[in-house]
Amino acid sequence: MERNLMMRKKIPQTKWFWALVMFGIIFLSVLLPPRFLLSPLRTTALTIAWPIENIFSGVAFSIRDAHQFFGSIGGLKNENARLQKENLELTSENAALRDLAKENETLRSELGLLPRDAYDLEAAEVVGKAPGGEGTLLINRGRQAGLMKDMPVIVNKGILIGRVEEVFPYNATITLLSQPASYVNGITSINAAKGIVKGEHGLGLLFGMVLQTDTLTAGESVVSSGLDRTIPKGLYIGVLDNIGLSPDGLYQQASLTTPVKFENLRYVFIIKDTRP
Amino acid sequence: MKEILLRALLVFGLVLFELSFVDVLFPEIGVPVVPIVAVVAWTLLLGFPRNLPLTLGMALLFDCLNNGVPTIFSLYVTFLSYTISFLSRRLHMESGHSATFLSCLLVVFSACAYQIILWIGFTLRSSLPGIDWLFPAISFTFWQLVLTGALSLASFFFLSPLLRKSERFLSESREQAFLRVR
């Protein structure tokens, strides 16, 4: 008994000591993350949190939408005039495109190709975001809705924004295209220059690995090339901007401007399969 | 048991509030403001040793839900909890207007310091071989820093009374249970 007391006295049980011990344990778990322990914990926590997340995110989106609405009242008049002008231009453009679409449909049926927009979509709502807003999204659909890893995620019927990363029973995480870990095969719409679209540290998109013999033009659209079998061909990614050479000087590269503001996303669509 | 359950619910609620409410409403802010403010408020109320399980629980739950693995955030809040406890004793932050003012300063500094640390780590990533993955990509502007400070202050005024009430409720429950036993 006395010996135990002596031993305890020898160990310095101060605040500093405990802080150091905890700091050391956490540092080790950061360096060697115990995924086998945390993975079931995460799945359970996300399943329990599902209804609460829906409520919190619903309220947050409503507040944000109301704020954006009141904030935009001043600019509505100018915006309306601009949209009316744009509407006239688009109406005439639409008439020309309708004719082309008919021709395209006839040619595709003759070649035995699937219609381009025949996707089996699953709609989902964003219920959580990583701080910073441009890395990972948490959505309210998961394994129960038939989602699987690597399924492409789009908005507005065809703008690619990322892939499904992790799937839980009622939730899934999406890795956005702007993440460094994200790679998608892309092709430019006019000159058919092939390259790889990758994230620039979560802050933007880069169209790289383009051969120097290919032509890149600023303002040209980039779509998915379909080389990667998980992502269908023809999904819009963005517009080329700031064209230059890669740091090693071997390839061409350009930054991509995407029409989607990743931080404002509320509804997304997951392509589960192209219809047979 | 009641105490553990209430604390666990509070921690879970605060983490979900950060991930599904604050991050959705303010996507431009790069730091988890609510957990940081909660750690500061809890440390000022309970002191470092009693607050340590809460800090660790909250940090690990946040990291687990957000990234799937512990990150530099868990390290930061452990260090932060100790530092706040150390400073609160040295600066005699028990009560009064000066204590409130100093608490506010500590809260703003804690949230902004994390953003600065992440940004410095991110910019030095190339010269930190082996641990570069510890620092995620983060954009950094003066406006973001101001917003982080303002939001952390607002969260503190909302969280501090809530946590104080919950602690008072728990201490009263403990006293009642003790008297019942006697």
Side-chain angles (χ1 to χ4, degrees), chain A residues 26 29-31 33-34 38, chain B residues 60 63-64 68-74 133-134:
Chain A
I26 295 168
S29 67
V30 170
L31 290 179
L38 293 173
Chain B
L60 290 175
D63 273 342
C64 182
V69 289
T71 65
I72 195 162
F73 176 71
S74 298
W133 52 271
L134 272 175

Side-chain angles (χ1 to χ4, degrees), chain A residues 194-217:
Chain A
K194 287 175 184 161
I196 292 171
V197 178
K198 57 180 183 175
E200 273 194 305
H201 308 297
L203 307 171
L205 300 181
L206 189 82
F207 184 56
M209 303 288 280
V210 181
L211 294 175
Q212 296 216 19
T213 48
D214 288 339
T215 311
L216 291 181
T217 319

Side-chain angles (χ1 to χ4, degrees), chain B residues 66-86:
Chain B
N66 196 24
N67 301 298
V69 289
T71 65
I72 195 162
F73 176 71
S74 298
L75 286 173
Y76 176 74
V77 289
T78 313
F79 176 74
L80 178 71
S81 181
Y82 177 79
T83 313
I84 296 292
S85 174
F86 177 85

Side-chain angles (χ1 to χ4, degrees), chain A residues 25 57 63 66 79 116 185 200:
Chain A
I25 291 171
S57 63
I63 295 171
E79 181 81 1
R116 272 198 151 183
N185 291 297
E200 273 194 305

Side-chain angles (χ1 to χ4, degrees), chain A:
Chain A
M1 182 79 176
E2 208 170 291
R3 200 177 160 197
N4 275 348
L5 216 65
M6 290 282 284
M7 284 291 283
R8 280 184 71 181
K9 273 183 185 172
K10 275 183 191 171
I11 300 169
Q13 291 182 354
T14 58
K15 277 202 286 185
W16 173 239
F17 170 76
W18 285 114
L20 211 62
V21 168
M22 285 301 149
F23 202 79
I25 291 171
I26 295 168
F27 192 71
L28 272 178
S29 67
V30 170
L31 290 179
L32 306 160
R35 283 177 202 273
F36 64 96
L37 277 176
L38 293 173
S39 183
L41 180 75
R42 192 180 191 206
T43 308
T44 314
L46 280 171
T47 308
I48 296 168
W50 186 74
I52 309 164
E53 279 174 336
N54 275 309
I55 296 167
F56 276 153
S57 63
V59 174
F61 275 119
S62 303
I63 295 171
R64 211 183 64 188
D65 290 348
H67 175 257
Q68 279 174 354
F69 170 73
F70 287 114
S72 65
I73 283 175
L76 281 181
K77 198 182 165 189
N78 293 336
E79 181 81 1
N80 193 32
R82 191 184 63 79
L83 286 174
Q84 274 181 352
K85 194 183 161 198
E86 201 175 296
N87 191 30
L88 282 174
E89 287 170 9
L90 288 173
T91 309
S92 61
E93 204 173 301
N94 200 21
L97 286 173
R98 209 172 291 148
D99 189 43
L100 280 174
K102 205 173 178 183
E103 188 185 326
N104 183 39
E105 204 177 302
T106 315
L107 288 171
R108 286 182 86 85
S109 69
E110 277 175 17
L111 288 168
L113 294 174
L114 282 171
R116 272 198 151 183
D117 54 354
Y119 303 131
D120 180 9
L121 298 178
E122 180 72 38
E125 192 176 354
V126 175
V127 291
K129 289 179 181 180
E134 298 210 357
T136 314
L137 300 179
L138 185 72
I139 55 169
N140 66 349
R141 290 285 183 276
R143 208 173 292 128
Q144 295 282 333
L147 264 57
M148 288 198 296
K149 187 176 160 46
D150 284 338
M151 281 180 171
V153 184
I154 60 168
V155 288
N156 298 348
K157 278 193 168 179
I159 303 172
L160 183 69
I161 61 154
R163 290 177 202 248
V164 173
E165 182 64 36
E166 289 171 289
V167 186
F168 305 101
Y170 297 97
N171 303 87
T173 58
I174 296 169
T175 301
L176 295 171
L177 288 180
S178 56
Q179 281 300 292
S182 172
Y183 288 90
V184 174
N185 291 297
I187 187 166
T188 57
S189 56
I190 299 169
N191 296 313
K194 287 175 184 161
I196 292 171
V197 178
K198 57 180 183 175
E200 273 194 305
H201 308 297
L203 307 171
L205 300 181
L206 189 82
F207 184 56
M209 303 288 280
V210 181
L211 294 175
Q212 296 216 19
T213 48
D214 288 339
T215 311
L216 291 181
T217 319
E220 197 176 353
S221 301
V222 175
V223 295
S224 57
S225 69
L227 259 177
D228 178 354
R229 286 184 183 179
T230 54
I231 293 181
K233 190 179 176 181
L235 294 175
Y236 184 78
I237 300 173
V239 172
L240 291 179
D241 192 15
N242 292 331
I243 299 161
L245 286 176
S246 59
D248 55 16
L250 293 174
Y251 296 97
Q252 290 186 88
Q253 66 176 31
S255 58
L256 270 177
T257 310
T258 168
V260 181
K261 282 189 176 178
F262 293 130
E263 71 270 19
N264 289 341
L265 288 172
R266 181 171 183 182
Y267 299 105
V268 296
F269 298 91
I270 298 97
I271 300 178
K272 292 205 285 189
D273 203 0
T274 50
R275 286 182 194 131

